[in-house]
Amino acid sequence: MQIRKGKPPGSGQMAQVGVELSREARVRLAWMDFHRRTKNVARTCRHFGISRQTFYLWQRRYDPYDLTSLEERSHRPRQCRQPKVS
């Protein structure tokens, strides 16, 4: 018997049952599922009509245990400059 560190496979889907994903996030999840089955990035990109750059960006963000990682993030800067009052 092997003891492995981490979560068992498939536990992410069970934990995320109640999460409501946006339409865009569900499309990105379809990209990741297709890629997992085919193991071919070029074929995945051709099938969905996306660039490889876009695919790799979302692949880096994707966490199979947290499907909300496929949601769009804000483009607003975290910190803005404050004008100096003289």
Side-chain angles (χ1 to χ4, degrees):
M1 180 172 130
Q2 291 182 345
I3 297 175
R4 294 186 179 173
K5 197 174 189 180
K7 299 176 185 178
S11 66
Q13 285 94 10
M14 291 185 287
Q16 297 294 333
V17 170
V19 173
E20 187 66 32
L21 293 175
S22 66
R23 181 177 130 359
E24 293 86 8
R26 287 193 304 265
V27 168
R28 293 179 196 118
L29 182 60
W31 299 350
M32 298 304 150
D33 286 341
F34 189 87
H35 173 66
R36 184 180 47 81
R37 282 181 277 146
T38 62
K39 306 281 192 233
N40 189 330
V41 173
R43 184 174 177 193
T44 301
C45 294
R46 275 195 311 270
H47 181 79
F48 289 101
I50 59 172
S51 69
R52 290 184 191 189
Q53 184 179 7
T54 300
F55 178 81
Y56 283 124
L57 180 139
W58 286 103
Q59 187 183 36
R60 276 193 311 273
R61 289 187 188 181
Y62 177 57
D63 176 12
Y65 299 110
D66 180 18
L67 298 182
T68 59
S69 63
L70 294 174
E71 293 288 353
E72 187 70 34
R73 293 182 188 166
S74 173
H75 294 281
R76 181 181 177 272
R78 291 185 183 146
Q79 195 171 16
C80 296
R81 294 182 191 173
Q82 297 297 321
K84 286 187 176 181
V85 179
S86 21

